[in-house]
Amino acid sequence: MELPGLAFAVWLFICFYASVDGYPSGKVREACTSMIPCHGSSPQLSPEHTITVNGTEFKPGDNIEVLLSGPDFEGFFIQARDAEHLDSPAVGSFMLADRRLSQLLTCGRTKNSAVSHTSKAKKKNIKVYWIAPGDAPKRVQFLATVVKKYKTFWVKIPGPIISHPNALSQTTPLHATSEALSTSHPVSYLSKPFNASHCGSMKFCIRNPSNCDPESASCFFLSFQQEKSSVFIEMSGPSEGYLAFALSHDQWMGGDDAYLCVSEGHRVHVSTAYLKGRSPPVLDSENALEDVSWRLVDGVLQCSFRRNIRLPSYKGRFNLDASYYIFLADGEASEGGLIHKHRHQPLITNGIYVTGLPQDIGGSRSPRLIKAHGVLMFVAWITTVSIGVIVARFFKPVWSHSFLFGKEMWFQVHRMLMLITVMLTSISFVLPFIYRGGWSQQAGFHPYLGCTVMALTIFQPLMAGFRPSRHAPRRQLFNWFHWSTGTTARILAVVTMFLGMDLPALDLPDPWDTYTMIGFVAWHVGIDVLLEIHSYCLIRKVEVIEDDRVQILQSLTSAEAEGRLFKQIVLTIYVCGNIVFLIAFLVAISQI
């Protein structure tokens, strides 16, 4: 095919592909700028759907109700933009009213700056809440793309224009009914993010990750500043549902003094609560908090309030001049302010602190014993056991004439690595039981598989102690059992680690943990296959030499030397690769 013909075929394929490429799941980030669905046809001109809002003005932190309605439609895409520059990036962020029908998307650098459908199910209206950012333009207009059927859709349907109180109204909002328009209720809002400038000097601060900037969208921040007989408290972090902190006498939930900032529809409710065990918090009917303010911008929830150091008339409120462990948690909340269990392990301070004494500390979402459990298991089953298996499988002929402490070198290296594996696994095995004080009912299959691996780990060296002599009739049977037990233990250990990395107590960052484990498995299998192919080629080479019957001894010696050098190079590379995987894991676990 000539080049012009090839170019035409490629162009034809792209056009055909574009004509069948849709977004039934609502993941339409590719359309963030144009808001045009890739459906291979032109948009309709006269829209059938309208956008209404519940206010004409906004201030930073305000929540504006946005309603998209009209005849049945399958898909939609909603954004807010600068009314003077509609081709500019999305402005502000959204909150959902119904997670079954809508989902949040990130367009550009602004998190949750767009809303789309979750499925092709027909719907008549969609309600969301737009959160005004602190740096919003003077006038903001809502735009929507609506898909009625695959080939029938409207792009950038113009919605109402809302303005900052200081901006002069220049145009009348489009498609905004008089019933839907009303002045938004005044709310107590924070005009700007918190900062860490006085942490350690005037404030007691907790930051996660350590030393993160509270103005960052990924920073969890909690501060206490004592002012005479009261304490001013600030709390912020990325959350679409709630943020909460608790004061505790130990590192376990139960009998704790808790404070919650919960997103309720288009407002944030700040309240106190008492924690009873692992049950949902019991909200107080009377609130002892003063000077309550909040802000919800770009997916970051912030709230601040003041409370007296001592509250003798409020049952369950701890005195703030004593020492406590401090918990910081986040999670989802339903309509009506109902909070759900936190999705990952809360941040817990490593010691007890007096919040009135200025300090700047970090915290960990994973207890030290669980971190140690993960590290020891990773070292044992990713490093020592893997190298030991490679040595036993491929280095018998290479190190058969080398001795260490009276035994063949390959055997001594293999035995030493396997004994280290047994020791590390045994120590690691007891750590979760020490941390939990018993069996965990919330860890799924992980503890069951872990116990199975531990049993096989103990059984393997016991079986090796009864190994028959090399030429005994039962030696072949022993070899088969030894290999199958070890292989089963390794496979189960990898599966167990896959399951353990996503448990709340460890919860390594996704999808990094999965990719790392898949990478290690591929790395090990690749090295194993490479050495198998090399061994097969070496055997075939020796067989050809034997058939030739010329210079057999010299050729065999040369082949053995060649094989020994290649395997030693591969082993060195393999060990270095395992160390890289180990370092990557240690870096990741140090960040949680």
Side-chain angles (χ1 to χ4, degrees):
M1 182 183 289
E2 296 180 357
L3 186 59
L6 176 61
F8 175 77
V10 171
W11 176 83
L12 188 64
F13 170 77
I14 292 173
C15 290
F16 174 77
Y17 181 81
S19 68
V20 298
D21 185 28
Y23 306 99
S25 66
K27 302 293 185 179
V28 294
R29 291 188 181 89
E30 294 84 352
C32 274
T33 303
S34 67
M35 298 185 71
I36 300 175
C38 193
H39 288 188
S41 59
S42 300
Q44 305 298 307
L45 297 179
S46 300
E48 300 177 354
H49 304 79
T50 59
I51 307 171
T52 57
V53 296
N54 71 335
T56 57
E57 295 183 346
F58 70 88
K59 298 186 295 293
D62 279 359
N63 288 259
I64 304 297
E65 181 183 296
V66 182
L67 181 67
L68 173 65
S69 59
D72 286 351
F73 56 97
E74 295 180 351
F76 65 92
F77 188 45
I78 303 174
Q79 283 187 3
R81 295 189 178 185
D82 186 344
E84 306 299 330
H85 305 282
L86 291 180
D87 291 330
S88 60
V91 173
S93 58
F94 287 90
M95 288 192 305
L96 303 178
D98 190 341
R99 296 177 183 273
R100 298 170 301 175
L101 300 177
S102 55
Q103 62 183 328
L104 298 171
L105 298 178
T106 296
C107 286
R109 298 181 178 179
T110 307
K111 186 177 180 182
N112 303 334
S113 55
V115 186
S116 72
H117 53 282
T118 56
S119 70
K120 294 174 62 178
K122 293 187 181 299
K123 47 196 81 73
K124 289 185 178 295
N125 57 74
I126 289 294
K127 182 170 69 174
V128 295
Y129 297 99
W130 180 73
I131 308 165
D135 57 351
K138 297 297 184 183
R139 301 169 70 248
V140 173
Q141 183 170 17
F142 296 95
L143 303 174
T145 291
V146 177
V147 178
K148 185 176 183 179
K149 294 182 180 179
Y150 187 80
K151 296 287 186 179
T152 307
F153 58 89
W154 295 264
V155 174
K156 290 186 178 180
I157 298 173
I161 296 177
I162 58 176
S163 60
H164 195 278
N166 296 332
L168 294 177
S169 178
Q170 297 179 0
T171 60
T172 302
L174 299 175
H175 305 288
T177 63
S178 58
E179 292 80 12
L181 289 172
S182 63
T183 305
S184 56
H185 297 290
V187 295
S188 178
Y189 66 93
L190 297 162
S191 59
K192 58 183 179 180
F194 301 138
N195 65 76
S197 58
H198 297 296
C199 288
S201 59
M202 298 175 62
K203 296 179 181 178
F204 176 90
C205 298
I206 300 174
R207 294 190 269 176
N208 180 249
S210 296
N211 299 318
C212 65
D213 185 354
E215 298 186 23
S216 167
S218 60
C219 182
F220 288 92
F221 177 76
L222 177 64
S223 73
F224 301 81
Q225 184 172 2
Q226 186 168 336
E227 300 172 351
K228 296 182 180 179
S229 61
S230 66
V231 174
F232 186 70
I233 299 170
E234 300 172 326
M235 178 167 55
S236 68
S239 177
E240 299 170 13
Y242 71 90
L243 286 177
F245 79 89
L247 306 176
S248 178
H249 297 291
D250 53 38
Q251 291 185 303
W252 295 98
M253 287 182 62
D256 307 325
D257 180 12
Y259 301 80
L260 300 90
C261 297
V262 185
S263 174
E264 295 185 13
H266 56 288
R267 298 182 61 85
V268 173
H269 179 64
V270 181
S271 64
T272 56
Y274 186 74
L275 301 182
K276 294 183 177 180
R278 293 181 174 272
S279 303
V282 180
L283 299 182
D284 295 328
S285 56
E286 293 184 272
N287 204 332
L289 307 180
E290 303 173 351
D291 299 336
V292 177
S293 298
W294 59 269
R295 185 173 184 256
L296 190 54
V297 179
D298 297 338
V300 176
L301 192 158
Q302 295 174 275
C303 63
S304 62
F305 52 88
R306 184 187 312 278
R307 61 147 284 188
N308 291 335
I309 294 176
R310 293 176 176 270
L311 294 169
S313 59
Y314 289 89
K315 184 180 179 181
R317 301 283 73 78
F318 294 177
N319 295 332
L320 296 184
D321 53 1
S323 299
Y324 306 101
Y325 290 98
I326 303 174
F327 291 62
L328 181 59
D330 67 289
E332 295 183 350
S334 303
E335 287 191 72
L338 178 64
I339 70 171
H340 301 275
K341 182 181 178 182
H342 40 77
R343 291 171 294 180
H344 47 251
Q345 184 83 356
L347 181 148
I348 306 173
T349 57
N350 294 322
I352 56 176
Y353 295 92
V354 179
T355 58
L357 300 179
Q359 291 190 64
D360 189 6
I361 66 172
S364 175
R365 292 187 180 272
S366 180
R368 290 177 177 176
L369 288 176
I370 299 300
K371 283 185 176 182
H373 169 75
V375 168
L376 292 177
M377 285 297 187
F378 205 91
V379 171
W381 293 95
I382 298 299
T383 307
T384 58
V385 77
S386 301
I387 298 173
V389 169
I390 291 288
V391 168
R393 176 71 182 86
F394 298 104
F395 281 78
K396 287 182 183 179
V398 176
W399 291 342
S400 59
H401 303 297
S402 301
F403 294 87
L404 184 65
F405 301 117
K407 296 282 187 179
E408 293 175 335
M409 181 180 290
W410 74 266
F411 177 75
Q412 293 287 50
V413 171
H414 171 74
R415 182 165 63 177
M416 177 188 67
L417 291 173
M418 292 306 168
L419 289 176
I420 291 175
T421 299
V422 173
M423 179 185 68
L424 293 177
T425 304
S426 301
I427 295 173
S428 177
F429 179 76
V430 301
L431 295 182
F433 291 96
I434 296 174
Y435 170 70
R436 288 290 181 187
W439 184 266
S440 174
Q441 301 291 341
Q442 302 176 338
F445 290 105
H446 179 77
Y448 297 97
L449 291 176
C451 289
T452 304
V453 171
M454 186 70 247
L456 293 175
T457 303
I458 297 298
F459 178 69
Q460 185 77 330
L462 292 177
M463 181 172 55
F466 296 93
R467 180 177 63 253
S469 60
R470 182 169 299 179
H471 302 292
R474 294 179 297 170
R475 181 58 180 259
Q476 194 68 24
L477 184 64
F478 165 81
N479 289 342
W480 189 89
F481 272 110
H482 190 61
W483 173 85
S484 60
T485 303
T487 302
T488 301
R490 291 172 62 210
I491 293 174
L492 289 179
V494 171
V495 172
T496 306
M497 285 190 287
F498 264 111
L499 297 175
M501 289 187 299
D502 288 328
L503 289 176
L506 190 60
D507 196 20
L508 292 174
D510 291 322
W512 176 93
D513 52 356
T514 302
Y515 291 157
T516 300
M517 286 301 298
I518 292 175
F520 165 74
V521 172
W523 170 251
H524 179 78
V525 171
I527 293 294
D528 207 303
V529 170
L530 178 64
L531 290 174
E532 288 285 1
I533 293 174
H534 174 262
S535 297
Y536 174 78
C537 293
L538 199 62
I539 292 172
R540 292 292 300 156
K541 185 175 182 179
V542 171
E543 288 176 351
V544 171
I545 292 174
E546 286 182 342
D547 291 341
D548 207 17
R549 301 292 182 185
V550 178
Q551 294 182 339
I552 296 176
L553 292 178
Q554 182 179 353
S555 300
L556 283 174
T557 304
S558 174
E560 288 176 357
E562 178 185 338
R564 183 182 300 110
L565 178 61
F566 178 82
K567 288 181 178 179
Q568 288 176 343
I569 292 174
V570 172
L571 180 63
T572 302
I573 295 173
Y574 181 68
V575 171
C576 292
N578 281 24
I579 292 175
V580 169
F581 280 107
L582 179 59
I583 292 174
F585 178 81
L586 293 176
V587 170
I589 206 170
S590 68
Q591 301 299 315
I592 59 176

